[in-house]
């Protein structure tokens, strides 16, 4: 009897019924899980479409992809959210940031070397180094390059370090922007003063100082307007430190930053346009003065015409000219060539600035591109080291450090003017 009772308990006649019921419950649970997963589909919206996700709707990224991006990140898992899309190819960004870091290291060396040389020259003259505007320009360029170098090292060593999300990279980037705007301001003032210095005999020193002061006020206004906008990434990082992270705030800071870039580009292009007009007018007046000097030194316009026809035994009238006429004529040719070069250079800069402005506006208006900002962000910083930081540093490099030694030595009084105009051309 006890054996039958044990058999009934262990197996019993209801064994099949119980197992069948358990299988039904298991299938029902599986159906419920499937329903739950179906209620949380993969993300598909303004940021793109995810084709593979888990039960929570979080996109499943591959080995070389992620949802991390600057300003507005698609990976919200650190705040209990999901990964919307895996749009970032980490290996591509790593390569771009590696290039940007190398370029920042190079420009830092160039700027610090130029700063050291200028400081030594100021100390030899018993002058305070900060009294020299070029020293301040080199100092700000060095600080800007070092900030970018620090940002690049963080990007490579502590990924993900996101600008607009994490405090340290956001601070490095904001300082880099601040120093860059300050350099643009000082460079514009220096360019204005250099362009007007050739007209000191006609305008007077007082009018030149007033024009330089107006340019300084304008550039300070540009910095005052653009700096709060371009420093927008600090909003998200401060909110993150305070534990008040918001996806809406990420979107706001991205749009505010892009708007600041557009405003800065437009204002700086206007400043460049007005400055370039002053430079070209200065060249025109200098060329007119040189032509008059050539006519007077040659004994009048008729004598100059005879030289041009080869009155001194040559067809071009240059090989056998008197030394004093050849000096003026060479300077005239250099001035005309430089004027043409500046016009073409300014035209290219205006076209490039207009293109970047339109691209930035388009990126602000197309939501699909917002989460791909990291690519444009990294490439702009890398390219800016060569097209902006290095060019300005090279234009202010001391004459003894330059490799070009083909300048004519017969016109020592004209060389400083040509050297200044080459700086303005850059």
């Amino acid at each position: 009897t006890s054996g039958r009772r044990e058999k009934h308990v262990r197996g019993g006649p209801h064994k099949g019924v119980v197992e069948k019921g358990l299988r039904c419950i298991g299938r029902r649970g599986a159906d419920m899980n499937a329903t739950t997963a179906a209620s949380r589909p993969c993300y598909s919206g303004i940021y793109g479409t995810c084709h593979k996700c888990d039960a929570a709707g979080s996109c499943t990224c591959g080995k070389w992809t992620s949802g991390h991006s600057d300003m507005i990140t698609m990976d919200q898992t650190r705040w209990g959210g999901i990964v919307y899309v895996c749009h970032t190819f980490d290996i591509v960004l790593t390569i771009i940031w590696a290039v940007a870091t190398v370029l920042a290291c190079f420009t830092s060396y160039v700027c610090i070397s130029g700063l050291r040389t200028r400081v030594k020259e100021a100390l030899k003259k018993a002058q305070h180094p900060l009294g020299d505007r070029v020293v301040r320009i080199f100092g700000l360029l060095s600080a800007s390059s070092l900030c970018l170098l620090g940002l690049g090292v963080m990007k490579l060593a502590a990924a993900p370090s996101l600008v607009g999300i994490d405090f340290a990279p956001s601070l490095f980037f904001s300082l880099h922007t601040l120093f860059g705007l300050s350099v643009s301001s000082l460079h514009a003032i220096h360019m204005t003063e250099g362009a007007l210095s050739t007209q000191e005999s006609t305008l007077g020193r007082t009018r030149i100082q007033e024009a330089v002061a107006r340019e300084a006020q304008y550039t300070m206004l540009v910095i005052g307007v653009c700096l709060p906008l371009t420093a927008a990434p600090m909003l998200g990082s401060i909110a993150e430190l305070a534990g008040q992270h918001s996806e809406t705030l990420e979107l706001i800071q991205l749009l505010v930053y892009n708007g600041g870039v557009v405003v800065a580009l437009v204002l700086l292009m206007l400043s460049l346009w007005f400055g370039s007009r002053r430079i070209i007018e200065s060249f025109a007046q200098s060329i007119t003065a040189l032509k008059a000097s050539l006519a007077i030194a040659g004994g009048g316009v008729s004598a100059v015409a005879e030289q041009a026809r080869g009155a001194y035994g040559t067809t071009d009238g240059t090989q056998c000219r008197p030394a004093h006429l050849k000096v003026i004529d060479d300077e005239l040719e250099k001035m005309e060539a430089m004027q043409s070069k500046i016009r073409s250079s300014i035209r290219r800069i205006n076209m490039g600035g207009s293109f970047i402005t339109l691209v930035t506006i388009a990126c602000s208006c197309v939501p699909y591109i917002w989460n791909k900002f990291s690519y444009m962000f990294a490439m702009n910083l890398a390219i800016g080291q060569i097209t902006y930081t290095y060019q300005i540093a090279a234009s202010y490099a001391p004459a003894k450090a330059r490799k070009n030694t083909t300048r004519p030595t017969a016109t020592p009084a004209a060389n400083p003017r040509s050297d200044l105009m080459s700086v303005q051309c850059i």
Side-chain angles (χ1 to χ4, degrees), residues 21-23 76 153 191 276 328-329 332 366 377 409:
L22 291 174
R23 286 196 296 269
Q76 301 287 329
V153 171
M191 183 177 67
S276 64
I328 300 176
D329 190 64
L332 179 61
V366 181
F377 177 67
T409 57

Side-chain angles (χ1 to χ4, degrees), residues 136-158:
R136 298 197 297 271
I137 290 176
F138 269 118
L140 291 171
L141 283 174
S142 302
S144 178
S145 298
L146 289 174
C147 286
L148 181 58
L149 179 61
L151 176 59
V153 171
M154 291 192 64
K155 283 285 189 178
L156 296 175

Side-chain angles (χ1 to χ4, degrees), residues 305-323:
E306 291 179 359
Q307 292 181 37
R309 290 192 299 269
Y312 288 95
T314 59
T315 56
D316 58 359
T318 58
Q319 294 181 3
C320 296
R321 283 184 180 180

